[in-house]
């Protein structure tokens, strides 16, 4: 399909779901700037290959916001499509929130995959639009319904970083975090950013090109560490090391 055909296909799904405007960011589930192929939905829908940008599609127009690093590249890559290019933080160019506020009317619905939007941004949308009887539908990944050739989530093995490079054992680092939890009268730290997890557990991976990271979440409390990861990525050496810090495994 061409870019315009993909946009037309998405609009059909939006109409079926009662969605007025659909938001497609560049993120993965961890707010990473650089992502694996599975999460390149914005690239799939626009043809723009830069690492940062947000695509907004309504039933009448499509707009890509990106920053000054990518304007020349984006203009070239969007050529031939119906997508308009807006420069982020340029004078007289509306922000995404300003655009949505102007376009969405009472009874309309804003849609996006909620796993790709940070809580701060999602709460902002809810605060602004709930007052105007505008609904937010965040439960579905509509791109998945039209992207028939989408890559699977990466399966690269994770590995242990040698202590001479890591500097400290994962147990030492975990205890430092727990000390901060106690100091701040907290009992749980939920960690979603991949570089923080890599640092904490001294693990690395190859899930993202040029970034030694593996897709995972960590739920750390005062007694245990819960690791949400595809366990097929863990070899025996890594499992033995992680068991020293009382890891409890869960599916990603």
């Amino acid at each position: 399909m061409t870019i315009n055909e993909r946009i037309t296909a998405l609009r059909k799904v939006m109409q079926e779901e009662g969605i007025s405007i659909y938001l497609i960011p560049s993120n993965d589930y961890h707010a990473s700037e650089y992502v694996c192929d599975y999460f390149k939905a914005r690239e799939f829908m626009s043809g723009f290959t830069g690492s940062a940008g947000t695509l907004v599609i309504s039933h009448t127009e499509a707009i890509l916001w990106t920053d000054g690093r990518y304007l020349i590249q984006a203009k070239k890559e969007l050529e031939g499509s119906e997508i308009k290019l807006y420069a982020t933080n340029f004078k007289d160019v509306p922000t995404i929130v300003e655009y949505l506020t102007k376009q969405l009317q009472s009874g309309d619905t804003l849609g996006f995959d909620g796993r790709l939007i940070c809580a701060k941004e999602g709460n902002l949308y809810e605060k602004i639009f709930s007052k105007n009887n505008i609904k937010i539908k965040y439960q579905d990944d509509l791109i998945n319904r039209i992207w028939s050739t989408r890559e699977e989530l990466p399966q690269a093995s994770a590995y242990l970083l040698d202590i001479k490079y890591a500097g400290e054992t994962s147990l030492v680092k975990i205890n430092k975090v727990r000390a901060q939890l106690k100091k701040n009268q907290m009992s749980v730290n939920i960690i979603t950013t991949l570089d923080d997890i890599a640092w904490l557990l001294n693990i690395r991976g190859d899930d993202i090109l040029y970034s030694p990271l593996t897709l995972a979440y960590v739920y750390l409390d005062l007694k245990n560490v819960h690791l949400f990861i595809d366990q097929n990525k863990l070899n025996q050496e890594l499992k033995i090391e992680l068991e020293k810090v009382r890891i409890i495994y869960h599916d990603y």
Side-chain angles (χ1 to χ4, degrees):
M1 289 192 293
T2 66
I3 296 302
N4 288 344
E5 287 172 338
R6 293 171 186 176
I7 293 172
T8 298
L10 178 62
R11 284 177 175 147
K12 183 178 179 182
V13 176
M14 289 167 57
Q15 189 170 16
E16 292 170 355
E17 296 295 330
I19 291 174
S20 312
I21 296 180
Y22 197 70
L23 195 68
I24 309 170
S26 302
N27 297 339
D28 58 12
Y29 301 154
H30 308 271
S32 306
E33 180 173 4
Y34 300 100
V35 300
C36 65
D37 289 344
Y38 177 86
F39 291 108
K40 292 182 179 179
R42 187 226 64 222
E43 179 179 327
F44 170 76
M45 288 301 304
S46 67
F48 170 58
T49 60
S51 67
T54 299
L55 181 63
V56 176
I57 297 179
S58 73
H59 290 282
T60 57
E61 61 183 353
I63 302 173
L64 174 75
W65 275 262
T66 192
D67 62 66
R69 295 174 296 170
Y70 292 116
L71 293 181
I72 295 174
Q73 173 185 342
K75 184 178 181 180
K76 182 177 180 180
E77 291 181 335
L78 296 179
E79 191 174 339
S81 77
E82 68 168 271
I83 301 171
K84 301 175 186 176
L85 177 61
Y86 280 12
T88 306
N89 297 324
F90 272 48
K91 185 179 179 180
D92 299 326
V93 176
T95 65
I96 294 173
V97 171
E98 289 170 342
Y99 173 82
L100 294 175
T101 302
K102 183 177 180 181
Q103 295 296 319
L104 289 166
Q105 306 298 316
S106 178
D108 284 347
T109 299
L110 172 66
F112 50 79
D113 182 350
R115 296 168 294 182
L116 303 177
I117 302 290
C118 69
K120 182 178 180 180
E121 184 178 358
N123 289 335
L124 175 63
Y125 293 146
E126 184 178 44
K127 180 180 179 181
I128 293 173
F129 300 128
S130 61
K131 296 183 293 186
N132 299 320
N133 193 34
I134 295 167
K135 302 173 185 177
I136 297 176
K137 195 169 186 178
Y138 60 86
Q139 295 88 345
D140 297 317
D141 175 6
L142 299 191
I143 308 302
N144 211 42
R145 309 233 313 244
I146 65 171
W147 193 357
S148 60
T149 58
R150 190 173 199 170
E151 297 280 348
E152 297 293 327
L153 285 170
Q155 302 293 318
S157 297
Y159 57 93
L160 187 67
L161 187 67
D162 194 289
I163 188 65
K164 67 181 179 181
Y165 302 115
E168 296 176 321
T169 67
S170 56
L171 181 59
V172 169
K173 295 176 181 179
I174 288 167
N175 285 335
K176 285 183 176 180
V177 176
R178 285 181 173 143
Q180 289 298 313
L181 286 174
K182 293 176 182 178
K183 181 179 178 180
N184 289 280
Q185 297 182 319
M186 299 175 181
S187 55
V188 170
N189 187 20
I190 298 173
I191 307 172
T192 64
T193 45
L194 302 182
D195 49 348
D196 287 339
I197 294 169
W199 172 84
L200 181 73
L201 300 180
N202 290 343
I203 62 174
R204 298 295 187 268
D206 293 304
D207 284 347
I208 302 173
L209 193 63
Y210 309 126
S211 301
L213 304 171
T214 190
L215 298 177
Y217 298 97
V218 165
Y219 176 106
L220 186 154
D221 59 31
L222 299 178
K223 292 184 179 180
N224 296 300
V225 180
H226 297 260
L227 176 63
F228 297 76
I229 192 171
D230 179 349
Q231 295 178 46
N232 292 323
K233 297 179 178 182
L234 307 177
N235 61 33
Q236 195 59 33
E237 177 193 9
L238 185 50
K239 282 188 173 181
I240 291 172
E241 189 64 28
L242 292 176
E243 285 167 3
K244 295 179 183 178
V245 293
R246 302 181 68 174
I247 286 286
I248 298 173
Y249 299 109
H250 305 269
D251 291 337
Y252 178 75

